[in-house]
Amino acid sequence: MRSAVVLFPGSNRDHDMVKALYDVTGFRPTVVWHQDATLPDVDLIVLPGGFSYGDYLRCGAIAARSPAMLDVARKAKAGVRVLGVCNGFQILTEAGLLPGALMRNAHLRFVCKEVKLEVTNDDTDFTRAYRKGQVIRCPVAHHDGNYFADPETLARLEGDGRVAFRYAEGTNPNGSINDIAGILNEAGNVLGMMPHPENLIEALHGGLDGRGLFESVVRTIAA
Amino acid sequence: MQVRVTITLKAGVLDPQGKAIEGALRGLGFAGIDGARQGKIVDLALAETDPARARAAVAEMCEKLLANTVIENYDIDVLG
């Protein structure tokens, strides 16, 4: 499975993401600078975590308008899988590839800890290696992960099974509406999530719970 | 031409920063505060000299970048 990681000024989880993709897929992803107007043809595009443009204006707002993102939008429309983690999720909502917005954590504090994630839907390109209802461990590290959407959007997300991950009961770290941790676009080929599955990939991390997400995409592409 | 854009959170959108400001003001002893909402101001210096055209251009800037209309409203003031 071929993949690409888009690098923005201020990205800082790109190395973890590259390592995770290499470990799980066996292929080293291409790293694409945000000013590149054309991404290579790959099966999966990943927007990593970090603080693109220092979170100026709004988290992900400037990065969402970069030349690379225009091509990400074109490729997403054509069906290429796109994963945005943390700042990548913020960029996807700012780019309009996912609905809603990520606001300042309700308690106003930066949160850096492990949470429990419930796999809400296991029939997606990103979650098929998990079981519905399975609770996995996953670290979070963010200041603006408080997912918000208007009631109609929220009803659509919930009704169409587009909430891929939810913070398991009692572990919502940021005040996200409906405990939402990760959502899909309408076509199901774009996933945004605040937690970092790329940080639970090898035994040294203390767990392997994040592998399933990448294995799901590998399985989807191979099918 | 100077144009000021004021960006505020929509009514009903939780504003934890406004809440914190409100709490701090109360802590300082200011009474009678019924709420505080935080927004931001962007001042633009434009080459455009026609107020209507300036306003239209800035509205497009707001829609495309300056405001996230999922959660924010914007007001445009042409200052001259």
Side-chain angles (χ1 to χ4, degrees):
Chain A
M1 187 186 84
R2 296 155 306 161
S3 61
V5 175
V6 185
L7 187 60
F8 301 93
S11 296
N12 62 12
R13 297 298 190 108
D14 46 301
H15 289 279
D16 302 29
M17 191 56 82
V18 166
K19 178 80 165 57
L21 287 164
Y22 180 60
D23 281 2
V24 178
T25 68
F27 292 97
R28 193 163 285 284
T30 309
V31 176
V32 181
W33 183 234
H34 70 119
Q35 293 290 8
D36 293 349
T38 310
L39 274 75
D41 282 323
V42 292
D43 303 304
L44 173 69
I45 298 168
V46 184
L47 311 180
F51 299 85
S52 56
Y53 290 93
D55 284 346
Y56 291 174
L57 190 62
R58 298 176 305 276
C59 299
I62 312 277
R65 278 81 180 170
S66 62
M69 281 307 296
L70 293 177
D71 198 40
V72 171
R74 272 191 295 271
K75 288 185 158 67
K77 206 171 170 199
V80 175
R81 274 86 186 173
V82 179
L83 167 68
V85 169
C86 200
N87 189 220
F89 186 11
Q90 295 163 342
I91 294 168
L92 287 173
T93 59
E94 279 287 344
L97 293 175
L98 289 173
L102 290 147
M103 306 186 35
R104 183 53 49 98
N105 293 346
H107 49 59
L108 290 174
R109 289 186 300 278
F110 189 94
V111 57
C112 181
K113 64 181 198 182
E114 185 177 295
V115 297
K116 300 270 193 282
L117 288 186
E118 184 193 330
V119 179
T120 318
N121 184 349
D122 63 0
D123 186 23
T124 83
D125 294 355
F126 300 89
T127 58
R128 58 183 81 256
Y130 298 115
R131 294 183 320 278
K132 183 178 162 78
Q134 183 178 350
V135 174
I136 62 169
R137 297 165 50 205
C138 209
V140 293
H142 59 252
H143 206 167
D144 298 76
N146 182 356
Y147 183 75
F148 173 85
D150 62 65
E152 298 83 58
T153 305
L154 201 58
R156 258 201 321 276
L157 286 173
E158 294 284 2
D160 296 345
R162 287 164 57 193
V163 177
F165 296 104
R166 231 185 272 282
Y167 300 111
E169 209 178 336
T171 66
N172 184 338
N174 52 37
S176 264
I177 199 158
N178 289 16
D179 297 327
I180 285 173
I183 56 162
L184 293 153
N185 67 340
E186 203 170 352
N189 65 315
V190 178
L191 171 72
M193 62 191 296
M194 287 313 295
H196 290 275
E198 76 275 19
N199 289 146
L200 271 182
I201 292 294
E202 50 187 293
L204 201 60
H205 291 154
L208 304 173
D209 288 15
R211 289 189 81 95
L213 187 137
F214 300 95
E215 283 163 358
S216 297
V217 184
V218 171
R219 215 182 276 182
T220 301
I221 300 297
Chain B
M1 177 150 268
Q2 286 290 323
V3 178
R4 172 163 289 184
V5 180
T6 306
I7 299 151
T8 50
L9 281 173
K10 287 183 175 173
V13 173
L14 178 72
D15 178 13
Q17 294 180 96
K19 284 269 176 232
I21 292 166
E22 188 183 332
L25 288 172
R26 287 221 182 88
L28 286 171
F30 291 101
I33 298 168
D34 292 329
R37 305 277 284 169
Q38 183 179 305
K40 60 186 87 153
I41 285 175
V42 179
D43 281 335
L44 296 164
L46 302 182
E48 181 59 63
T49 52
D50 177 71
R53 278 204 297 267
R55 183 177 288 277
V58 172
E60 194 183 346
M61 293 176 204
C62 287
E63 291 289 335
K64 285 194 172 163
L65 175 66
L66 298 179
N68 180 341
T69 54
V70 174
I71 49 170
E72 293 171 329
N73 291 321
Y74 58 86
D75 278 309
I76 300 168
D77 288 314
V78 178
L79 303 176

